[in-house]
Amino acid sequence: MKLDAIDKQILELLQENSKRTNKELSYKLNLSVTAVFERIKRLEKEGVLSKYVALVNKEKVNRSFVVFCHIKLLQHSKSFLTRFEAEVLKLDEVLECYHVSGDYDYILKIFVSDMNAYREFMVTKLTTLQHIGSTQSTFMIGEVKNSTAISLS
Amino acid sequence: MKLDAIDKQILELLQENSKRTNKELSYKLNLSVTAVFERIKRLEKEGVLSKYVALVNKEKVNRSFVVFCHIKLLQHSKSFLTRFEAEVLKLDEVLECYHVSGDYDYILKIFVSDMNAYREFMVTKLTTLQHIGSTQSTFMIGEVKNSTAISLS
DNA sequence: GATTTAATAAGAAAAATATTCTATATAAAT
DNA sequence: ATTTATATAGAATATTTTTCTTATTAAATC
């Protein structure tokens, strides 16, 4: 699908704040409300706009302790990977999990309340997963940037 | 601020899909539309709900190549950190940047179109930053889980 | 124990927004 | 020239958000 300059502007604006109304967008883009409406519907239908979500402040819900955990598996056959991935999906504390190249196999991003909670998570959940070889935890000290908006320029 | 069970349900539902209407939420929660409305306004005012955003499918906008880059600085004085962080903030390709404990100082999550674009990004942007000691790039092979929703149970 | 007070919720009314419908304009295709 | 497809605008309608008034409840005060 082709995205013109107006589509890109709409995407940038909605990535920043999805509560903007079509009227507000129509002002900014010098278009009619209908034109904006139709473009957004098209972007949704094509799957360019995949989801609308509310973001919650992790400090306010007691999940400020963020950990990046690098994981090595014992073996790398497809069935091992698949099984591990299915189990990770079930863990609420894990918001992100990526299969990666390099020294280890997976990067997990984990949100918990504090170090004690993380210890509990490791002992009762993470290290009980099948096929895990090793884990290495890196703790977030500060958040410099955390955006969900892909730049389209 | 105290969050009761209903607040948590609202947060879970809006983190999953912020387009749900107050009426829809009121059905699910056995409440009136006004009660839902008031609770959401309170959660926004208190900063628990911090933002509403549209998520864009990275494949559809040609940013499927995701890289985690570990960075070490040459020195760790406050002024060096601050300056580095200010420069990273300006880089559109970097969606996330965290100051972390461990072998390296920062983790960056970078979105580009392909390996060539990443090479270009490294050469012209990343490695020209002040105070950089070393970088180590890890490439995403597959996305197992990528959620923005913090579980509140 | 009766009476305020504060917090929450319900329902109706009003305001704002999203959505549909009809009509035009424009450029590409035949 | 004529058709076709695409994008847009404006008006009409449907839906949602927001406000306002009233009622309920539980805790706090006398």
Side-chain angles (χ1 to χ4, degrees):
Chain A
M1 185 204 180
K2 279 237 288 275
L3 301 174
D4 67 14
I6 297 175
D7 291 329
K8 287 181 184 175
Q9 284 185 77
I10 291 176
L11 292 174
E12 303 250 7
L13 289 165
L14 290 180
Q15 284 188 103
E16 199 185 284
N17 176 13
S18 62
K19 280 286 199 240
R20 293 186 210 273
T21 63
N22 293 344
K23 202 208 270 192
E24 186 187 340
L25 295 172
S26 74
Y27 284 134
K28 284 193 206 286
L29 305 173
N30 269 88
L31 271 181
S32 70
V33 171
T34 307
V36 170
F37 175 83
E38 297 288 358
R39 278 172 180 268
I40 291 174
K41 284 301 153 201
R42 190 181 45 122
L43 291 166
E44 290 170 353
K45 193 152 62 80
E46 303 281 349
V48 182
L49 281 169
S50 59
K51 217 175 177 193
Y52 296 91
V53 301
L55 300 182
V56 163
N57 184 333
K58 62 184 178 309
E59 275 75 28
K60 302 272 182 174
V61 294
N62 196 30
R63 297 291 134 89
S64 320
F65 199 78
V66 179
V67 184
F68 298 92
C69 188
H70 295 166
I71 291 183
K72 274 189 225 187
L73 295 192
L74 291 171
Q75 291 186 41
H76 300 86
S77 62
K78 173 140 188 181
S79 73
F80 274 47
L81 297 180
T82 308
R83 185 120 168 246
F84 169 78
E85 293 179 5
E87 296 194 75
V88 166
L89 276 178
K90 286 189 264 173
L91 301 177
D92 280 343
E93 294 88 347
V94 178
L95 267 74
E96 301 176 38
C97 173
Y98 305 97
H99 186 196
V100 296
S101 68
D103 294 339
Y104 39 89
D105 298 309
Y106 290 95
I107 296 184
L108 273 56
K109 185 150 102 183
I110 298 156
F111 286 67
V112 290
S113 59
D114 54 30
M115 184 62 92
N116 281 330
Y118 186 62
R119 179 181 146 78
E120 188 65 17
F121 169 77
M122 285 224 74
V123 174
T124 67
K125 297 191 177 172
L126 198 59
T127 56
T128 68
L129 294 189
Q130 302 294 317
H131 317 308
I132 284 221
S134 68
T135 68
Q136 196 216 316
S137 302
T138 298
F139 303 107
M140 186 188 92
I141 298 171
E143 189 176 285
V144 178
K145 184 176 194 176
N146 183 9
S147 171
T148 53
I150 299 174
S151 170
L152 302 172
S153 31
Chain B
M1 184 203 181
K2 280 238 287 276
L3 301 175
D4 67 15
I6 296 175
D7 290 329
K8 288 182 183 175
Q9 284 185 77
I10 290 176
L11 292 173
E12 303 249 6
L13 288 165
L14 290 179
Q15 284 187 104
E16 199 186 283
N17 175 12
S18 62
K19 281 285 198 241
R20 294 185 210 273
T21 64
N22 293 344
K23 201 208 267 192
E24 187 186 340
L25 294 172
S26 74
Y27 283 135
K28 285 192 205 287
L29 305 173
N30 269 89
L31 269 181
S32 70
V33 170
T34 307
V36 170
F37 176 82
E38 298 286 0
R39 277 172 181 267
I40 291 174
K41 284 301 153 201
R42 189 179 47 121
L43 291 166
E44 289 170 353
K45 192 152 60 80
E46 303 280 350
V48 182
L49 281 168
S50 60
K51 218 175 177 193
Y52 296 89
V53 301
L55 301 182
V56 164
N57 184 334
K58 60 183 179 309
E59 274 75 27
K60 302 272 182 174
V61 294
N62 196 32
R63 297 292 134 88
S64 321
F65 199 79
V66 179
V67 184
F68 298 92
C69 187
H70 295 165
I71 291 184
K72 274 189 225 189
L73 296 191
L74 291 169
Q75 292 184 40
H76 300 85
S77 62
K78 172 140 188 179
S79 74
F80 274 46
L81 297 180
T82 308
R83 186 120 168 248
F84 168 78
E85 294 180 4
E87 296 195 73
V88 166
L89 276 179
K90 286 189 264 172
L91 301 177
D92 280 343
E93 294 89 346
V94 178
L95 266 76
E96 301 176 39
C97 172
Y98 305 97
H99 186 195
V100 296
S101 69
D103 293 340
Y104 39 89
D105 297 310
Y106 291 95
I107 297 183
L108 273 56
K109 184 150 98 181
I110 298 157
F111 286 67
V112 290
S113 59
D114 53 29
M115 184 63 92
N116 281 330
Y118 186 61
R119 180 182 145 79
E120 188 65 16
F121 169 76
M122 285 223 72
V123 174
T124 67
K125 297 190 178 174
L126 198 59
T127 56
T128 67
L129 294 188
Q130 301 294 317
H131 317 310
I132 284 220
S134 68
T135 67
Q136 196 216 316
S137 302
T138 298
F139 303 108
M140 186 187 91
I141 298 171
E143 189 177 286
V144 179
K145 184 176 192 176
N146 182 9
S147 170
T148 53
I150 299 173
S151 169
L152 302 172
S153 32

